[in-house]
Amino acid sequence: MSVPIARTVAGLRQILAGWRRNGASVAVVPTMGALHEGHLSLVRAALQTADRVIVTLFVNPKQFNSAADLAAYPRTENEDAAKLVPLGAHLLYAPHGEEMYPAGFATTVSVSGVSEGLCGAFRPGHFEGVATVVAKLFLQTGADFGFFGEKDFQQLQLVRRMVRDLDIPITVVACPTVREADGLALSSRNVRLSPAERAVAPKLPSVLSETAELLARGSPVLSTLAAAREAILAAGYREVEYLELCDEAELRPTTLLERPARLLVAAWLGGTRLIDNVAVSPVGSTD
Ligand code: PAF
């Protein structure tokens, strides 16, 4: 058994037309491959929501800041396709670079506000690349539902904003971050950690959840965040790129817990950049 693969927009649309003739609803799970349990949880959720599920696999050059990072990105299509078979995904859409960005491609989708701080401040052009490719994948698949993980929370909010602003007829579904038993958020980057770094890595989610707890109980935001940064560095992380409490909708830094908020972090462990986030609600709040 294998999962069917489409490589072209025309091939994809031919399959979609057959599904639509039969009245099937369609979900898309955008990925860059190197599938792990986090991706598979999105596929499972999509299969519970829609009649047909397309997993896309495209290592999008427009969202990488460095050529070396793009070259080093794992490409494991055969293994990825094999992982989709037992789940029952209906189609793998894995276009080549020229299919997505033919010669003369000149359009960029840019979402201001939500994409400017946090990762956006450290990875120029990254979110334009994400928005452009996700817009294309939504338009190419015409899916009813798009599934994204909360692990990449800023990406999720950017996609939601883009869908709203451009009236793209798709429902964005967010799924919780999948974690290892020790709390480390699953990421394709985790394989780059040495055994010693892997042992230190879970300190990030543990500081994050302790800090969220303190903030929820009313600890002053700035000093609590400063102490958390110190704890991450003391654990062995090389650099904390950002650690911020933001309002959840706009991702603007906040020192007030009046609305649903999110604590977000990016930190370097040796040569690996890890990101994570957790929800923060004031104790007693029903949000
Ligand atoms: O989260 C990812 O893997 C990518 O940013 C996405 C959404 C597939 C776009 O390339």
Side-chain angles (χ1 to χ4, degrees), residues 50-102:
D51 301 315
R52 292 286 178 272
V53 172
I54 304 170
V55 177
T56 72
L57 192 177
F58 180 65
V59 181
N60 175 30
K62 290 194 184 293
Q63 69 186 77
F64 284 81
N65 302 100
S66 98
D69 200 19
L70 173 61
Y73 202 83
R75 286 158 173 88
T76 54
E77 184 181 303
N78 292 343
E79 291 88 330
D80 292 340
K83 286 178 189 168
L84 296 175
V85 173
L87 270 57
H90 300 91
L91 183 68
L92 181 62
Y93 173 50
H96 294 301
E98 318 79 63
E99 184 71 9
M100 288 302 263
Y101 302 123

Coordinates of all heavy atoms in Angstrom, one line a residue, residues 50-102:
A50 N -12.7 15.9 8.0 CA -13.0 16.0 6.6 C -13.0 14.6 5.9 O -12.4 13.7 6.5 CB -12.0 16.9 5.9
D51 N -13.7 14.5 4.8 CA -13.8 13.2 4.1 C -12.5 12.9 3.4 O -12.2 11.7 3.3 CB -14.9 13.3 3.0 CG -16.3 13.6 3.6 OD1 -16.6 13.0 4.7 OD2 -17.0 14.5 3.1
R52 N -11.8 13.9 2.9 CA -10.5 13.6 2.2 C -9.4 14.5 2.8 O -9.7 15.7 3.1 CB -10.7 13.9 0.7 CG -11.6 13.0 0.0 CD -10.9 11.6 -0.2 NE -11.8 10.7 -0.9 CZ -12.7 9.9 -0.3 NH1 -12.8 9.9 1.1 NH2 -13.4 9.0 -1.0
V53 N -8.2 14.0 3.0 CA -7.1 14.7 3.6 C -5.9 14.7 2.7 O -5.4 13.7 2.2 CB -6.8 14.1 5.0 CG1 -5.5 14.8 5.5 CG2 -7.9 14.3 6.0
I54 N -5.5 15.9 2.4 CA -4.3 16.1 1.6 C -3.1 16.6 2.5 O -3.3 17.6 3.2 CB -4.4 17.2 0.5 CG1 -5.6 17.0 -0.4 CG2 -3.2 17.4 -0.3 CD1 -6.0 18.2 -1.3
V55 N -2.0 15.9 2.5 CA -0.8 16.3 3.2 C 0.1 16.9 2.2 O 0.3 16.3 1.1 CB -0.1 15.2 3.9 CG1 1.1 15.7 4.6 CG2 -1.1 14.5 5.0
T56 N 0.5 18.2 2.4 CA 1.4 18.8 1.4 C 2.9 18.7 1.9 O 3.1 18.7 3.1 CB 1.1 20.2 1.1 OG1 1.5 21.0 2.2 CG2 -0.4 20.4 0.8
L57 N 3.8 18.4 1.0 CA 5.2 18.3 1.4 C 6.0 19.2 0.4 O 6.1 18.9 -0.8 CB 5.7 16.9 1.3 CG 7.0 16.5 1.8 CD1 7.2 15.0 1.7 CD2 8.2 17.3 1.3
F58 N 6.4 20.4 0.9 CA 7.2 21.3 0.1 C 8.2 22.0 1.0 O 7.7 22.8 1.9 CB 6.3 22.2 -0.7 CG 7.0 23.2 -1.5 CD1 7.7 22.7 -2.6 CD2 7.0 24.6 -1.3 CE1 8.5 23.6 -3.5 CE2 7.7 25.5 -2.1 CZ 8.4 25.0 -3.2
V59 N 9.4 21.8 0.8 CA 10.5 22.6 1.5 C 10.6 23.9 0.9 O 11.2 24.1 -0.2 CB 11.8 21.8 1.6 CG1 12.8 22.6 2.4 CG2 11.6 20.4 2.2
N60 N 9.9 24.9 1.5 CA 9.7 26.2 0.8 C 10.9 27.1 0.9 O 11.2 27.7 2.0 CB 8.5 26.8 1.6 CG 8.2 28.2 1.1 OD1 8.5 28.6 -0.1 ND2 7.7 29.1 2.0
P61 N 11.6 27.3 -0.2 CA 12.9 28.1 -0.1 C 12.6 29.5 0.4 O 13.5 30.1 1.0 CB 13.4 28.1 -1.5 CG 12.3 27.6 -2.4 CD 11.3 26.8 -1.5
K62 N 11.4 30.0 0.1 CA 11.2 31.4 0.5 C 11.1 31.7 2.0 O 11.1 32.9 2.4 CB 9.9 31.9 -0.2 CG 10.0 32.0 -1.7 CD 8.8 32.8 -2.3 CE 8.9 32.8 -3.8 NZ 10.0 33.6 -4.3
Q63 N 11.0 30.7 2.8 CA 10.9 31.0 4.2 C 12.2 30.7 5.0 O 12.2 30.7 6.2 CB 9.7 30.2 4.8 CG 9.8 28.7 4.9 CD 8.5 28.1 5.4 OE1 7.6 27.9 4.6 NE2 8.5 27.7 6.7
F64 N 13.3 30.4 4.2 CA 14.5 30.1 4.9 C 15.4 31.4 4.8 O 15.4 32.1 3.8 CB 15.3 29.0 4.2 CG 14.7 27.6 4.6 CD1 13.6 27.1 3.9 CD2 15.3 26.9 5.6 CE1 13.1 25.9 4.3 CE2 14.8 25.6 5.9 CZ 13.6 25.2 5.3
N65 N 16.1 31.7 5.9 CA 16.9 32.9 6.0 C 18.3 32.6 5.5 O 19.0 33.5 5.1 CB 17.0 33.4 7.4 CG 15.7 33.7 8.0 OD1 15.1 33.0 8.7 ND2 15.1 34.9 7.6
S66 N 18.7 31.4 5.5 CA 20.1 31.1 5.1 C 20.1 29.9 4.1 O 19.3 28.9 4.3 CB 21.0 30.8 6.3 OG 21.2 29.5 6.5
A67 N 20.9 30.0 3.1 CA 21.0 28.9 2.1 C 21.5 27.6 2.8 O 21.0 26.5 2.4 CB 22.0 29.3 1.0
A68 N 22.4 27.8 3.8 CA 22.9 26.6 4.5 C 21.8 25.9 5.2 O 21.7 24.6 5.2 CB 24.0 27.0 5.4
D69 N 20.9 26.6 5.9 CA 19.8 26.1 6.6 C 18.8 25.3 5.6 O 18.4 24.2 5.9 CB 19.0 27.2 7.3 CG 18.2 26.7 8.5 OD1 18.4 25.5 8.9 OD2 17.2 27.4 8.9
L70 N 18.6 25.9 4.5 CA 17.7 25.3 3.5 C 18.4 24.0 3.0 O 17.7 23.0 2.9 CB 17.5 26.3 2.3 CG 16.8 25.7 1.1 CD1 15.4 25.2 1.4 CD2 16.7 26.7 -0.1
A71 N 19.7 24.0 2.7 CA 20.4 22.8 2.2 C 20.3 21.7 3.3 O 20.3 20.5 2.9 CB 21.8 23.2 1.8
A72 N 20.4 22.1 4.5 CA 20.5 21.1 5.6 C 19.2 20.6 6.0 O 19.1 19.6 6.8 CB 21.2 21.7 6.8
Y73 N 18.1 21.2 5.5 CA 16.8 20.7 5.9 C 16.5 19.3 5.5 O 16.8 18.9 4.3 CB 15.7 21.6 5.4 CG 14.4 21.5 6.2 CD1 14.3 22.3 7.3 CD2 13.4 20.6 5.9 CE1 13.1 22.2 8.1 CE2 12.3 20.5 6.6 CZ 12.1 21.3 7.8 OH 11.0 21.2 8.6
P74 N 16.1 18.4 6.4 CA 15.9 17.0 6.0 C 14.9 16.8 4.9 O 13.8 17.4 4.9 CB 15.4 16.3 7.3 CG 15.0 17.4 8.2 CD 15.7 18.7 7.8
R75 N 15.3 15.9 4.0 CA 14.3 15.6 2.9 C 14.1 14.1 2.9 O 15.0 13.3 2.5 CB 14.9 16.1 1.5 CG 14.7 17.6 1.4 CD 15.7 18.2 0.4 NE 15.5 19.6 0.1 CZ 16.0 20.6 0.8 NH1 16.8 20.3 1.9 NH2 15.8 21.8 0.5
T76 N 13.0 13.7 3.4 CA 12.7 12.2 3.7 C 11.4 11.8 3.1 O 10.6 11.2 3.8 CB 12.7 12.0 5.2 OG1 11.8 12.9 5.8 CG2 14.1 12.3 5.8
E77 N 11.2 12.1 1.8 CA 9.8 11.9 1.2 C 9.4 10.5 1.3 O 8.2 10.2 1.6 CB 9.8 12.4 -0.3 CG 8.4 12.2 -0.8 CD 8.3 12.6 -2.3 OE1 8.7 13.8 -2.6 OE2 7.9 11.8 -3.1
N78 N 10.3 9.5 1.0 CA 9.8 8.1 1.0 C 9.3 7.7 2.4 O 8.3 7.1 2.6 CB 10.9 7.1 0.6 CG 11.2 7.3 -0.9 OD1 10.4 7.9 -1.6 ND2 12.4 6.8 -1.3
E79 N 10.1 8.1 3.4 CA 9.7 7.8 4.8 C 8.4 8.5 5.2 O 7.5 7.9 5.8 CB 10.8 8.2 5.8 CG 12.1 7.3 5.7 CD 13.1 7.9 4.7 OE1 12.7 8.5 3.7 OE2 14.3 7.7 4.9
D80 N 8.3 9.7 4.8 CA 7.1 10.5 5.1 C 5.9 9.9 4.4 O 4.8 9.7 5.1 CB 7.2 12.0 4.5 CG 8.3 12.8 5.3 OD1 8.7 12.4 6.4 OD2 8.8 13.8 4.7
A81 N 6.0 9.5 3.2 CA 4.9 8.8 2.5 C 4.5 7.5 3.2 O 3.3 7.3 3.4 CB 5.2 8.5 1.0
A82 N 5.5 6.8 3.7 CA 5.2 5.5 4.4 C 4.5 5.8 5.7 O 3.6 5.0 6.0 CB 6.5 4.8 4.6
K83 N 4.8 6.9 6.4 CA 4.1 7.2 7.6 C 2.6 7.5 7.4 O 1.8 7.4 8.4 CB 4.8 8.3 8.3 CG 6.1 8.0 8.9 CD 6.8 9.1 9.6 CE 8.2 8.8 10.0 NZ 9.1 9.9 10.3
L84 N 2.3 8.0 6.2 CA 0.9 8.4 6.0 C 0.0 7.2 5.7 O -1.2 7.3 5.9 CB 0.9 9.4 4.8 CG 1.6 10.7 5.1 CD1 1.6 11.6 3.9 CD2 1.0 11.5 6.3
V85 N 0.6 6.1 5.3 CA -0.3 5.0 4.8 C -1.1 4.4 6.0 O -2.4 4.4 5.8 CB 0.6 3.9 4.2 CG1 -0.2 2.6 3.9 CG2 1.3 4.4 2.9
P86 N -0.6 4.1 7.1 CA -1.4 3.5 8.2 C -2.5 4.5 8.7 O -3.5 4.1 9.2 CB -0.4 3.1 9.3 CG 0.9 3.8 9.0 CD 0.9 4.1 7.5
L87 N -2.2 5.8 8.5 CA -3.2 6.8 9.0 C -4.4 6.9 8.1 O -5.5 7.2 8.5 CB -2.5 8.2 9.1 CG -1.9 8.5 10.4 CD1 -0.8 7.5 10.8 CD2 -1.3 9.9 10.3
G88 N -4.2 6.6 6.8 CA -5.2 6.7 5.8 C -5.4 8.0 5.1 O -6.5 8.4 4.6
A89 N -4.3 8.8 5.1 CA -4.3 10.1 4.4 C -4.6 9.8 2.9 O -4.1 8.7 2.4 CB -3.0 10.9 4.6
H90 N -5.3 10.7 2.2 CA -5.7 10.3 0.9 C -4.8 10.7 -0.2 O -4.8 10.2 -1.3 CB -7.1 10.9 0.6 CG -8.1 10.4 1.6 ND1 -8.4 11.0 2.8 CD2 -8.9 9.3 1.6 CE1 -9.3 10.4 3.5 NE2 -9.6 9.3 2.8
L91 N -4.0 11.7 0.0 CA -3.1 12.2 -1.0 C -1.9 13.0 -0.4 O -2.1 13.7 0.5 CB -3.9 13.2 -1.9 CG -3.1 13.8 -3.1 CD1 -2.9 12.7 -4.2 CD2 -4.0 14.9 -3.8
L92 N -0.7 12.7 -1.0 CA 0.4 13.6 -0.7 C 0.7 14.5 -1.9 O 0.8 14.0 -3.0 CB 1.7 12.6 -0.5 CG 3.0 13.3 -0.1 CD1 2.9 14.0 1.2 CD2 4.1 12.3 0.0
Y93 N 0.7 15.8 -1.6 CA 0.9 16.7 -2.7 C 2.3 17.2 -2.5 O 2.6 17.9 -1.5 CB -0.1 17.9 -2.6 CG 0.2 19.0 -3.6 CD1 0.4 18.8 -4.9 CD2 0.1 20.3 -3.2 CE1 0.7 19.8 -5.8 CE2 0.4 21.4 -4.0 CZ 0.6 21.1 -5.4 OH 0.9 22.1 -6.2
A94 N 3.2 16.8 -3.4 CA 4.7 17.2 -3.2 C 5.2 17.8 -4.5 O 5.8 17.1 -5.3 CB 5.4 15.9 -2.9
P95 N 4.9 19.1 -4.7 CA 5.3 19.7 -6.0 C 6.8 20.0 -6.0 O 7.4 20.2 -4.9 CB 4.5 21.0 -6.0 CG 4.2 21.3 -4.5 CD 4.1 20.0 -3.8
H96 N 7.4 20.1 -7.2 CA 8.8 20.5 -7.3 C 8.8 22.0 -7.2 O 7.8 22.7 -7.3 CB 9.4 20.0 -8.6 CG 9.5 18.5 -8.6 ND1 10.2 17.8 -7.7 CD2 8.9 17.6 -9.4 CE1 10.1 16.5 -7.9 NE2 9.3 16.4 -9.0
G97 N 10.0 22.6 -7.0 CA 10.2 24.0 -6.8 C 9.6 24.8 -8.0 O 9.0 25.8 -7.8
E98 N 9.8 24.4 -9.2 CA 9.4 25.2 -10.4 C 7.9 25.2 -10.5 O 7.3 26.0 -11.2 CB 10.0 24.6 -11.7 CG 11.5 24.2 -11.7 CD 11.6 22.9 -11.1 OE1 11.1 21.9 -11.6 OE2 12.3 22.8 -10.0
E99 N 7.2 24.1 -9.9 CA 5.8 24.1 -10.0 C 5.2 25.2 -9.1 O 4.2 25.8 -9.4 CB 5.3 22.7 -9.6 CG 3.8 22.5 -9.7 CD 3.3 22.4 -11.1 OE1 4.1 22.3 -12.0 OE2 2.0 22.4 -11.3
M100 N 5.8 25.4 -7.9 CA 5.4 26.4 -7.0 C 5.8 27.8 -7.4 O 5.1 28.7 -7.2 CB 5.9 26.1 -5.6 CG 5.3 24.9 -4.9 SD 3.5 25.1 -4.8 CE 3.3 25.7 -3.1
Y101 N 7.1 27.9 -7.8 CA 7.6 29.2 -8.1 C 8.2 29.1 -9.6 O 9.4 29.1 -9.7 CB 8.7 29.6 -7.1 CG 8.2 29.6 -5.7 CD1 8.8 28.9 -4.7 CD2 7.1 30.4 -5.3 CE1 8.3 28.9 -3.4 CE2 6.6 30.5 -4.0 CZ 7.3 29.7 -3.1 OH 6.8 29.8 -1.8
P102 N 7.3 29.2 -10.6 CA 7.9 29.1 -11.9 C 8.7 30.4 -12.2 O 8.5 31.4 -11.5 CB 6.6 29.1 -12.8 CG 5.5 29.3 -11.9 CD 5.9 29.2 -10.5

